[in-house]
Amino acid sequence: MSSRTDHASRSQLTFRQKVSRFDYTYSPYFYIAPFFILFALLGVFPIVYTMNVSLYDWHLLKGQGDFVGMQNYISVLNDPFFWNAFWNTISIFLLSAIPQLIVATLIAALLDQAIRGATFWRMSILLPYIVAPVAVTVIFLQIFNQYHGPVAGLLDLFGLDPIRWSFDVFPSHVAIASMVNWRWTGYNALLLLAAMQAVPRDVYESATLDGAGKLRRFWSITIPMIRPTLIFVVITATIGGLQIFTEPKLFDGRTNGGSDRQFQTIVLYLYELAFPRRDFGRASATAWILFVIIMGVGLLSFMVTRAVRTADVKTVRVGALSARAKRGES
């Protein structure tokens, strides 16, 4: 009976009322549709198409060749140059991500304090992020010049031999990681600072009344309460670190990762397969292998970050409530 009544009431609506109801019901979907359409065209379709390309002997100029199945994946995994690029990527990732997150957290904690010119300092740490990667590379190439850079001058001052930043494995990884850290630390610090600003101040006041020092408050209150943002920063840093391309490519533009591939990353290896060698099948297989690696490392980072629990947020809140109760009784 009610369904008939609803149908009758809908049939009695005027055209303007029907348009208004349609706008109220469906307009939100139209507003968000452009994003999903672009994401499907520029995100989902290339991923699916890359999977298809990885199953064929695909040449850049000749196009699709014979179906080879998983042979491209087997060929890549049996290539020693891939594993060289893999370990280079892991090394640069660890040298950049870990110091970057630690320094970003400390900077955010400092900017969270009541300091003079807080807005100026918060904007200043974002400046490296807006500098073009090419400019960053030019600057750091001068800093890490083997004979004439500031680092070379400092080593000469202490009577140490020059370091072959562009030719030795570990020094080149340090130089590239320094560029990544300089560019992204401030950006991550602002994200963590925004999370720290959202922490209720009365929790800190209650902990202070209980005798907790600054270090204790930071370790037992700040870190647990910004954990969601910290997890986000860790995951994005993981994805960006494993996809690193610009810095090592510009560090030596004449090669794809150094004369001896001493700092060739997985993306540089993929780039070499795709364009100089024109082997799109193996390049696509490498892209999917990198995707699996990123998913695995990202999941591991997520699990580790969640497992590190120095204090429970609920415990902190209970402590704050008990401190308030004590103050009320006194």
Side-chain angles (χ1 to χ4, degrees):
M1 187 70 180
S2 59
S3 61
R4 293 181 180 179
T5 305
D6 294 339
H7 179 72
S9 62
R10 284 197 298 269
S11 63
Q12 295 175 359
L13 293 175
T14 64
F15 177 76
R16 179 174 295 181
Q17 290 174 327
K18 291 180 179 179
V19 171
S20 177
R21 171 173 289 188
F22 179 85
D23 177 69
Y24 178 79
T25 305
Y26 296 103
S27 61
Y29 298 100
F30 287 105
Y31 294 146
I32 64 175
F35 166 78
F36 288 100
I37 293 173
L38 289 176
F39 178 73
L41 293 176
L42 303 178
V44 177
F45 174 74
I47 293 175
V48 176
Y49 190 73
T50 301
M51 169 61 76
N52 176 65
V53 173
S54 69
L55 301 177
Y56 289 87
D57 183 11
W58 201 295
H59 192 270
L60 175 61
L61 301 179
K62 299 177 182 179
Q64 179 179 326
D66 298 331
F67 178 80
V68 295
M70 301 299 292
Q71 185 59 42
N72 285 326
Y73 293 89
I74 297 172
S75 178
V76 169
L77 293 175
N78 288 331
D79 188 356
F81 290 144
F82 168 78
W83 292 107
N84 172 72
F86 172 80
W87 292 115
N88 288 340
T89 303
I90 296 298
S91 175
I92 296 173
F93 162 68
L94 293 176
L95 289 172
S96 59
I98 295 176
Q100 179 187 144
L101 294 174
I102 294 174
V103 175
T105 305
L106 294 178
I107 291 176
L110 290 175
L111 294 178
D112 192 38
Q113 307 300 316
I115 59 175
R116 292 184 178 181
T119 303
F120 169 77
W121 294 112
R122 292 170 186 175
M123 293 300 297
S124 298
I125 63 172
L126 194 61
L127 289 177
Y129 173 71
I130 64 177
V131 178
V134 176
V136 175
T137 306
V138 171
I139 294 171
F140 276 85
L141 281 175
Q142 298 300 318
I143 293 175
F144 291 106
N145 188 288
Q146 182 176 346
Y147 299 105
H148 305 293
V151 178
L154 185 62
L155 293 174
D156 184 64
L157 182 64
F158 288 96
L160 300 175
D161 295 331
I163 298 177
R164 293 156 44 94
W165 297 103
S166 300
F167 300 97
D168 294 336
V169 177
F170 185 73
S172 64
H173 293 182
V174 172
I176 294 171
S178 300
M179 288 188 278
V180 177
N181 290 335
W182 188 82
R183 187 161 182 260
W184 289 99
T185 299
Y187 174 81
N188 289 327
L190 283 184
L191 293 179
L192 295 173
L193 175 62
M196 292 179 185
Q197 293 282 300
V199 178
R201 297 297 155 179
D202 57 349
V203 178
Y204 290 112
E205 295 174 1
S206 301
T208 303
L209 292 175
D210 286 343
K214 289 185 177 181
L215 184 60
R216 181 63 178 176
R217 294 198 300 270
F218 174 77
W219 199 249
S220 299
I221 298 177
T222 305
I223 295 299
M225 298 194 75
I226 67 169
R227 185 176 290 113
T229 304
L230 191 60
I231 292 174
F232 171 78
V233 170
V234 168
I235 293 176
T236 54
T238 300
I239 295 173
L242 294 177
Q243 289 182 334
I244 185 170
F245 171 79
T246 305
E247 287 81 1
K249 178 61 178 175
L250 295 177
F251 195 62
D252 186 356
R254 298 168 298 178
T255 63
N256 291 311
S259 56
D260 293 328
R261 302 173 185 262
Q262 62 270 22
F263 52 89
Q264 184 180 63
T265 61
I266 295 179
V267 181
L268 274 175
Y269 173 79
L270 185 157
Y271 176 85
E272 181 182 359
L273 288 175
F275 296 104
R277 301 189 189 182
R278 301 176 182 178
D279 189 348
F280 265 36
R282 291 179 61 194
S284 299
T286 304
W288 268 93
I289 292 172
L290 177 60
F291 174 76
V292 173
I293 293 173
I294 291 174
M295 291 294 293
V297 176
L299 181 62
L300 179 63
S301 301
F302 175 77
M303 294 173 62
V304 169
T305 307
R306 291 199 62 181
V308 177
R309 293 182 178 273
T310 55
D312 192 358
V313 178
K314 294 182 181 179
T315 305
V316 174
R317 291 177 179 174
V318 170
L321 292 175
S322 63
R324 290 180 189 175
K326 290 179 181 178
R327 280 183 289 172
E329 292 176 358
S330 59

